[in-house]
Amino acid sequence: MKRGIAVLVSLSALVVVAYFTASNLAIRHETIAFHDPERDNRLVAVDIAVRWDKEMQADAGLIKLPVAVLNHGNTVKHTEYSFLANVFAARGYLSISPQHDLPTDPPMVTKPGELYVGRLPQIQRGVANIKFAVEEMRKIQPHADYDKLTMVGHSMGGDISMYFAKQYPEEIKKVVTLDNLRVPFLTEGKFKILSFRSKDNVFKPDPGVVPDAEECEKAGITVVDTGYQHNDMRDTGPDAAKTSIQSMLDKFLVDTDSDVAPVDTRNAPPKILDPGPVSLYVPVPKAPKASFAATN
């Protein structure tokens, strides 16, 4: 029986990989260098991922692209999360990934006992980068919804995402974090939150960052215990980790998006929405069938 389950899990993983591989063929990637005149002409490079067909429809004014902002971890490049960018792009999003730190930036000095362990200046810099990148993207692709963002981030990028959502909750549609460790979750329930957590003896969240199960259920927060390491959650991580995260993320988008769909490729196998080896820690309660309120 155990062998049969193992074979089934392996086949499911193969189908997910094949699906996203086929989808990637329909996705365009581009890196654009912006310079912020308000901050000494600071370079803010942005990696873009978008479906060719959806971009053409947006250019023609037929649709408005939902927008996901992907935020990288400390010292990690903004291009190292393509496995996430491709999930959003495949589902019809305009994915934008800004580079938050530069080689010329002073080193981060952590200070235990201070707010966010002394990382507030770097977090605020990331928020400024997002604000600037979004305004620049409005000029390049005006047919996108920059007023309601899906904020995504790993580690420090997750803290930037949560802090941005705290500062500008009216501009947030949903939040996805991968092992953010410093900035506490928002529990007001204004938008859905999905968070992937690692099983890592080195990288552990500060007390009070991740709410307990009861708070999560009330606030519409889904916490996924992956069992993987903190640094597995980027392109350099093992395929099993990336495939599991992709699968659960796609399921989350299925549940929270009503007007966007994954890429339609003739040779793409059907999607597998089961999270695979990751286990759901706190489920998000489903809305009553009689409700017609818009999903946040």
Side-chain angles (χ1 to χ4, degrees), residues 106-111 114 117-119 122:
M108 181 175 61
V109 179
T110 58
K111 298 179 180 179
E114 290 194 4
V117 198
R119 300 186 180 199
Q122 285 77 20

Side-chain angles (χ1 to χ4, degrees), residues 179-249:
D179 232 25
N180 61 303
L181 305 176
R182 311 297 179 186
V183 180
F185 285 47
L186 300 177
T187 57
E188 289 81 1
K190 294 182 178 180
F191 37 77
K192 300 295 184 183
I193 297 176
L194 169 67
S195 184
F196 296 94
R197 313 308 305 179
S198 71
K199 186 178 181 181
D200 199 304
N201 292 327
V202 177
F203 296 92
K204 295 183 178 181
D206 291 341
V209 170
V210 183
D212 60 30
E214 185 177 351
E215 282 186 292
C216 286
E217 186 171 359
K218 289 179 180 179
I221 299 172
T222 301
V223 176
V224 178
D225 181 12
T226 69
Y228 294 111
Q229 297 294 302
H230 178 84
N231 287 324
D232 289 342
M233 300 180 178
R234 60 180 195 253
D235 285 351
T236 55
D239 289 340
K242 292 182 290 186
T243 300
S244 296
I245 291 170
Q246 282 181 318
S247 179
M248 193 64 201
L249 173 58

Side-chain angles (χ1 to χ4, degrees), residues 82-121:
S82 62
F83 83 103
L84 295 176
N86 288 336
V87 174
F88 284 99
R91 189 155 283 282
Y93 282 73
L94 170 63
S95 170
I96 61 178
S97 307
Q99 178 65 44
H100 291 304
D101 47 38
L102 302 174
T104 53
D105 290 335
M108 181 175 61
V109 179
T110 58
K111 298 179 180 179
E114 290 194 4
L115 185 63
Y116 311 138
V117 198
R119 300 186 180 199
L120 183 57

Side-chain angles (χ1 to χ4, degrees), residues 7 9 20 30 48 56 117 145 171 183 188 226 262 276 280 290 293:
V7 171
V9 170
F20 284 112
E30 179 185 4
I48 299 169
M56 292 176 63
V117 198
D145 187 3
E171 298 179 21
V183 180
E188 289 81 1
T226 69
L280 191 62

Side-chain angles (χ1 to χ4, degrees), residues 3 17 80 85 112 145 150 166 173 248 280 286:
R3 183 177 180 276
V17 171
E80 292 188 40
D145 187 3
T150 293
K166 179 181 179 181
K173 184 176 182 180
M248 193 64 201
L280 191 62
K286 295 183 178 180

